[in-house]
Structures are given as structure tokens and as C-alpha cells.
Amino acid sequence: MSGAGGRRLIVAIDGPSGAGKSTITRLLADRLGYVHIDTGAMFRAVALVAQRAGLDVADDQALARLCRGMEIAFVRDNGCCRVVANGEDVTDAIRTPEISLLTSAISTRRVVRDFLLTLQRRMGSEGGVILEGRDIGTVVFPDADVKFFLSASVEERGRRRWLELKAKGEDVSLEETIGAVALRDEQDSAREHAPLRRADDAVDVDSTGLSVNEVLSLMEGVVREREH
Ligand code: DC
């Protein structure tokens, strides 16, 4: 839990896909007693609902309508964070390679970004939160108390994603997975609205070759220092 008398901060963790953000953020939130907000999961939930509705990604009016009627919540269950969209647990359904690619495309749409921006600011405004994403330190909370930019080499990130997919029984090759990670990097960095970009005042953490615990201790140290 947070240290006695420590301020409850807004912590931003940005970085490319597969850098270990979700794992690190979940564990760091547990250590600090903070709420974990996975903003990528929010974009994924919008993509899933749009896909099921058969929406065209470029149809901004339809996307705006879909967002207006959409409810997204994080529910803690056995220490694990479930994602609930319009009352349905979509935690697993939003993690397929197909939804990953669609999410990357849908996250370029301004209407979707604006909708989620409002929601994310509301969820984080009280402090005691860690938000992970691509534009938290640059757009969502440019005044966040602590900002991290978490990265790792594209090969390492591809390899991690491949191991995850294999564990789930997905039949994909390592090269294919590294290629998909590189493609998403490109889409996420090249988009017009809120591209993946390191905030000037972010603390750089390169997780290549580091264990989860090493990364975690390093980041916890930075947050603890700023809490006082
Ligand atoms: O972190 P993730 O892999 O679950 O993110 C899924 C997609 O959502 C990714 O392609 C980038 C996008 N995204 C975004 O544009 N802005 C965020 N704050 C979080 C995710």
C-alpha cells in the first residue's frame, strides 16, 4: 500500500506494444495500492464492439454513436482486472491478433480518442492511479506526477508476444509476430492524433534483458521518491 502520509499520485506509463507495460503496471499498482487503468484495453473494447456491429472503421458518425452508448469498466476479480464493456466481460475476447490490428486502426479515429480521453481523465483525476497507454504523459495527463516511457527492442517484444500467443494455443510463427509488432509500432507512431511519443519529462526504462522484478523495483523507487 502507499507509504504513510504519501501523496497519491497520477502515474503515466507509455510505450510501444509488448514492452511489458500491462504486467509491470498491474504489479506496480499492487505494490503501491494504486488503481490500474489499462487504456489499451479501453480502445480494444471499442474495437470489439465495433467489429461485432459490423462498423466501418472510417465511419466517424457510426463510431460516435457507438461511443455515446458505450460503458467501459474495470472490475477486480481475484487480484486480476477484468474488462467489462456494456455489461459483458470482454477480457479475453479483446486479446486476439485480429482485434489487436483493428484496435490499432480504430485508435487513429479522433471521435474514439476524444471519447476515451474524457473517460480516462475522469477515472484518473483523484490520483492514486497508474494509467498505461501510448499518450498518457503527452495528452491525457500532461501534468502527471510521474511519467515513464517503457520500451524494449522490437525482437524482444515480438518474442514475448509470440510466447504469450503460443501459450494460448495460437498457431503463429515468431517472424510473423515480430512483423506484426513492427507494423503496430509504425501505425501507432505515424498516426495524426496523439501518436506514440515519449514525453520530454518521462523517465526512460528499457526492459530488454531485465527481469520483471528488476524493472518493477526501479520504477517503484522513482514513484516512492515523488510521493514524499
Ligand atoms: O496496449 P495495447 O496493445 O493493449 O493497445 C492496443 C492498441 O490501442 C494499440 O495499437 C495502440 C492503441 N492505444 C492508443 O492508441 N492509445 C492508448 N492510450 C492506448 C492504446
Side-chain angles (χ1 to χ4, degrees):
M1 299 304 284
S2 66
R7 294 188 301 135
R8 302 202 25 99
L9 308 180
I10 295 177
V11 179
I13 303 184
D14 290 305
S17 40
K21 282 196 309 284
S22 293
T23 306
I24 296 292
T25 310
R26 180 169 46 79
L27 295 170
L28 188 59
D30 280 350
R31 281 200 188 183
L32 296 166
Y34 280 22
V35 172
H36 170 195
I37 299 171
D38 176 355
T39 64
M42 298 168 84
F43 282 96
R44 285 170 181 274
V46 173
L48 179 73
V49 174
Q51 185 212 40
R52 286 181 178 170
L55 286 196
D56 175 355
V57 182
D59 185 345
D60 285 337
Q61 281 191 352
L63 281 175
R65 257 197 314 276
L66 179 129
C67 287
R68 268 199 300 276
M70 183 133 179
E71 274 176 31
I72 305 173
F74 293 104
V75 178
R76 284 188 76 84
D77 173 38
N78 268 333
C80 181
C81 214
R82 313 294 302 177
V83 187
V84 177
N86 296 335
E88 179 192 342
D89 185 331
V90 296
T91 314
D92 299 320
I94 60 175
R95 298 285 163 199
T96 64
E98 193 190 349
I99 292 297
S100 295
L101 267 184
L102 183 64
T103 306
S104 187
I106 232 170
S107 66
T108 64
R109 310 310 297 181
R110 175 128 217 183
V111 281
V112 175
R113 300 210 73 86
D114 285 350
F115 164 67
L116 291 179
L117 176 70
T118 307
L119 206 57
Q120 288 157 11
R121 284 194 177 146
R122 203 183 306 145
M123 287 173 158
S125 61
E126 302 284 303
V129 288
I130 310 187
L131 295 100
E132 56 154 310
R134 302 294 189 290
D135 61 339
I136 309 302
T138 51
V139 176
V140 183
F141 284 108
D143 296 326
D145 301 289
V146 187
K147 299 179 187 177
F148 291 106
F149 195 80
L150 183 63
S151 62
S153 69
V154 70
E155 291 79 14
E156 169 117 359
R157 290 183 287 121
R159 196 181 55 81
R160 290 178 190 166
R161 192 66 100 200
W162 178 66
L163 289 173
E164 268 171 29
L165 292 172
K166 263 205 345 180
K168 280 193 218 155
E170 305 260 356
D171 181 25
V172 286
S173 75
L174 176 60
E175 290 69 32
E176 230 178 293
T177 315
I178 292 175
V181 169
L183 177 65
R184 282 177 65 202
D185 277 1
E186 210 174 285
Q187 282 186 5
D188 293 346
S189 306
R191 69 168 175 242
E192 186 186 349
H193 305 301
L196 169 64
R197 193 169 60 74
R198 178 190 172 283
D200 294 336
D201 50 351
V203 176
D204 279 306
V205 181
D206 183 345
S207 70
T208 312
L210 293 185
S211 71
V212 168
N213 261 326
E214 285 169 324
V215 176
L216 208 50
S217 298
L218 195 154
M219 292 170 76
E220 186 185 4
V222 174
V223 178
R224 293 284 187 208
E225 209 163 90
R226 304 241 176 121
E227 275 183 332
H228 296 285

